[in-house]
Amino acid sequence: MSKALEDLRTSGSPGEKGGAEGDSGTYSGPAFFPLSPGLPLPNAPVNRTALPMANRKSKEGEETVASQIPNPFPELIPAESSLISECLLPWTKSSVTQVIKVYSEDNTNRAIEVPCDITARDICQLFILKNQCIDDHSWTLFEQLSQLGIERTIEDHESVMEVQSAWDVDADNRLYFRKNYAKYEFFKKPLDFFPDHMVSTSNETNGIMNHSQLIQMFLSSSTCPEIHGYLHAKESGKKCWKKFYFVLRRSGLYYSNKGVSKEPRHLQFIAEFSDSDVYTLLSARKTQGAPTDYAFCIKPNKSSSPRDLKLLCADEEHIRTCWVTAIRLFKYGMQLYQNFIQPHQKQRASPMRSISENSLVAMDFSGHKSRVIENPSEALSVAVEEGLSWRRKSCHRLSCHGSPSASQSPVSNLAVHRAQPWFHSKLSRDEAHRLIAEQGLIDGVFLLRDSQSNPKTFVLSLCHAQRIKHFQIVPVEDEGDLFFSLDDGHTRFSDLIQLVEFYQVNRGILPCRLKHPCTRIAL
């Protein structure tokens, strides 16, 4: 045991703490991790349910405009229908309100007045309606503490005002509204988030766990799952980072002072999560001198001092994702699963479609009589076929009126892609990495950008297996016509929109299909 490691020990043994076995008590942690007294394990948070929307009254006592509009279709929509209230943000009757400011990725912001008991999901629903975004359940509210250089996902059930109440008055802290495709992805593909060599149970289950068994193990209070592996830890008040073997259990986070031993006398208590949250560091190398960019920290809710942060760093992105996701599950448990299934349950339980869904219905006009396409898979395939047919007709019309010559710039002739949400123009490789990582390292998150090394080409940045890969899109000239290709001209497309539409349906040479466009919105 090195002298540096011996210096990190403090008085008392983990046996006195008892935390390694889940007992309560107090313990003085290592020097580089300031420790608060041990607290009892948190119960699952109470599911906050939004209060039903009520028709508001004007100052003169008149009914709202919505209630004055007569129902033109009484046989379809009853007079007391809750259709409008279901499609709008569930405001409460509370007269206590507060103004908050929310930012987007491009740092534009909007100030809104909201009730004091509003949740993060309610805020997201409000901006989805205001910006007419597609609600795919991936929009997320982030808390960014600029002074500390850290941020985290605010869970859907959390009270936004409670989050802001912990902020210092003069601190430049912000709320961000953006996509997070990985927010609940671990419920769909848990084995991708929890590698076998990092997960074990107290009774050492035999064989390889399947998806459902792994999730049940985390959500059930009767099982004792644990995450284990090596992490770098930063000593408090110093610049050096040291590597230790860490163990994460329901009772808290520990590190071993003797190799990879998990014996209670060798485990040193670091933190528990009833009154703490896990954050990721925005610029770990620059601000903290971290050995990699994959740093995270545990911050007490009632402290904004950098000295109270427990700074940790993983060697790879998927390792950090595993630790952060496990901490979220241990802290909130079944509440996260309820947040995940709540939007889907509401869709299944609703007896009618939303306004936007009712405005467009899939129809088949190929036979003698038209029919409504009820099967969603059939409707999707018909929509794709119609899109490809429309694209072929557009290309034919373009060729009839004169194809763009090879001497002309492809950007000037086919600049329609610049209006697409997945195109980000002059974006560097590092900025593309950051933007995709912010919106979730899951299979299929993508964006297109101009190539910085070759101004005549474009680059497709795609996430697969929690890694970001880049594919060059090169222009191909054939008999005076200009095309775009990802595979040296074997598969050609008249413009970038056609290319993206093709690879959204077909994998081709890519490791996976294009599924989730990495978008930016201005509030």
Side-chain angles (χ1 to χ4, degrees):
M1 183 68 63
S2 65
K3 185 176 182 301
L5 199 58
E6 291 290 341
D7 294 339
L8 294 176
R9 292 187 183 178
T10 57
S11 61
S13 66
E16 297 172 358
K17 162 69 175 71
E21 299 300 327
D23 298 333
S24 61
T26 58
Y27 177 74
S28 179
F32 60 96
F33 284 132
L35 179 64
S36 302
L39 298 174
L41 290 179
N43 296 324
V46 178
N47 183 19
R48 175 184 292 272
T49 56
L51 297 177
M53 177 181 177
N55 284 336
R56 290 171 289 181
K57 306 285 185 176
S58 62
K59 293 183 179 180
E60 294 79 8
E62 297 179 354
E63 295 185 353
T64 59
V65 176
S67 63
Q68 295 175 359
I69 300 177
N71 184 357
F73 304 108
E75 69 280 5
L76 297 179
I77 306 178
E80 300 298 326
S81 172
S82 60
L83 176 62
I84 297 180
S85 62
E86 289 180 356
C87 296
L88 297 178
L89 183 69
W91 296 105
T92 67
K93 295 181 180 180
S94 174
S95 59
V96 181
T97 61
Q98 186 170 336
V99 177
I100 65 172
K101 185 181 292 185
V102 180
Y103 290 79
S104 64
E105 296 97 335
D106 59 357
N107 285 324
T108 59
N109 64 80
R110 175 177 290 184
I112 57 174
E113 184 179 5
V114 296
C116 287
D117 58 351
I118 196 167
T119 65
R121 183 189 292 275
D122 295 335
I123 294 289
C124 291
Q125 290 294 320
L126 174 62
F127 280 101
I128 288 171
L129 290 171
K130 284 183 174 292
N131 294 278
Q132 299 181 351
C133 304
I134 297 176
D135 187 8
D136 56 359
H137 315 308
S138 62
W139 291 102
T140 307
L141 201 63
F142 286 83
E143 176 192 17
Q144 187 177 109
L145 308 181
S146 304
Q147 186 176 359
L148 301 177
I150 59 178
E151 76 170 17
R152 74 174 179 99
T153 296
I154 302 179
E155 305 298 348
D156 286 339
H157 66 275
E158 287 190 77
S159 169
V160 178
M161 297 311 167
E162 290 183 7
V163 172
Q164 286 192 325
S165 65
W167 293 358
D168 292 338
V169 177
D170 56 345
D172 183 24
N173 300 330
R174 297 182 176 184
L175 297 174
Y176 276 87
F177 171 72
R178 65 170 183 260
K179 289 276 191 178
N180 182 14
Y181 292 109
K183 181 166 60 173
Y184 299 127
E185 187 70 11
F186 54 86
F187 285 123
K188 304 175 184 177
K189 299 180 180 179
L191 298 181
D192 294 345
F193 284 75
F194 302 105
D196 291 336
H197 68 277
M198 292 184 64
V199 182
S200 62
T201 58
S202 58
N203 54 4
E204 297 295 336
T205 56
N206 297 323
I208 300 177
M209 292 176 291
N210 58 32
H211 288 226
S212 60
Q213 289 174 334
L214 184 57
I215 288 298
Q216 290 175 4
M217 183 181 68
F218 277 101
L219 298 181
S220 174
S221 59
S222 61
T223 57
C224 300
E226 68 177 24
I227 305 296
H228 50 83
Y230 282 98
L231 290 171
H232 302 270
K234 186 177 182 181
E235 186 175 356
S236 178
K238 297 185 179 180
K239 295 183 179 180
C240 59
W241 291 74
K242 301 184 188 312
K243 199 169 188 177
F244 299 97
Y245 187 77
F246 282 80
V247 178
L248 176 65
R249 294 175 176 172
R250 290 195 184 278
S251 55
L253 180 65
Y254 308 82
Y255 84 96
S256 176
N257 58 17
K258 188 175 182 180
V260 296
S261 174
K262 297 182 182 179
E263 295 185 19
R265 60 194 179 96
H266 294 147
L267 292 181
Q268 304 291 322
F269 177 76
I270 301 300
E272 55 86 38
F273 312 109
S274 63
D275 197 30
S276 301
D277 285 303
V278 58
Y279 291 76
T280 57
L281 273 66
L282 300 177
S283 301
R285 289 181 184 268
K286 182 178 179 180
T287 60
Q288 300 293 343
T292 71
D293 291 323
Y294 314 120
F296 62 100
C297 71
I298 300 170
K299 187 188 85 68
N301 293 339
K302 297 181 180 180
S303 175
S304 299
S305 173
R307 293 175 297 181
D308 293 333
L309 299 181
K310 285 87 172 180
L311 299 173
L312 304 166
C313 185
D315 288 326
E316 298 181 46
E317 174 65 32
H318 73 278
I319 296 178
R320 178 176 70 171
T321 301
C322 177
W323 287 97
V324 172
T325 305
I327 291 175
R328 289 176 59 203
L329 279 169
F330 282 148
K331 179 176 175 64
Y332 294 109
M334 187 60 72
Q335 178 66 63
L336 282 189
Y337 186 69
Q338 292 173 356
N339 294 347
F340 165 62
I341 65 175
Q342 182 178 355
H344 305 284
Q345 284 182 333
K346 184 176 180 180
Q347 287 179 349
R348 289 194 297 265
S350 178
M352 60 179 65
R353 296 189 178 103
S354 67
I355 295 177
S356 58
E357 290 173 330
N358 276 332
S359 61
L360 295 174
V361 179
M363 298 288 295
D364 178 17
F365 298 99
S366 59
H368 296 288
K369 297 178 63 177
S370 61
R371 67 181 180 91
V372 177
I373 303 177
E374 297 289 349
N375 189 336
S377 301
E378 182 185 1
L380 178 61
S381 62
V382 171
V384 171
E385 177 60 31
E386 288 182 354
L388 295 177
S389 176
W390 176 86
R391 180 64 58 186
R392 287 191 294 267
K393 294 178 181 178
S394 300
C395 295
H396 177 71
R397 289 194 298 268
L398 180 63
S399 62
C400 293
H401 293 284
S403 301
S405 62
S407 60
Q408 292 177 307
S409 170
V411 176
S412 61
N413 288 290
L414 302 172
V416 65
H417 59 263
R418 296 193 174 275
Q420 300 301 311
W422 38 256
F423 189 77
H424 295 270
S425 188
K426 297 180 180 180
L427 196 70
S428 67
R429 187 186 185 97
D430 292 339
E431 291 172 335
H433 269 263
R434 179 187 60 79
L435 191 59
I436 293 178
E438 284 180 351
Q439 301 199 10
L441 291 177
I442 65 174
D443 291 355
V445 179
F446 74 97
L447 61 83
L448 267 71
R449 56 189 175 89
D450 292 318
S451 173
Q452 291 188 318
S453 59
N454 189 346
K456 294 184 179 180
T457 64
F458 302 93
V459 177
L460 168 65
S461 299
L462 173 66
C463 181
H464 177 254
Q466 296 190 359
R467 299 181 184 274
I468 301 173
K469 302 179 181 180
H470 306 274
F471 303 88
Q472 193 171 48
I473 304 172
V474 297
V476 178
E477 181 185 355
D478 185 11
E479 297 181 356
D481 293 334
L482 189 65
F483 301 94
F484 296 96
S485 177
L486 274 172
D487 52 8
D488 297 327
H490 295 289
T491 310
R492 305 176 183 182
F493 305 95
S494 60
D495 55 46
L496 296 183
I497 297 180
Q498 189 182 43
L499 182 146
V500 169
E501 289 176 347
F502 176 83
Y503 287 107
Q504 285 178 323
V505 180
N506 309 277
R507 191 183 76 174
I509 65 166
L510 300 177
C512 65
R513 292 187 293 110
L514 308 182
K515 299 178 183 178
H516 310 292
C518 199
T519 61
R520 284 178 172 176
I521 65 166
L523 297 179

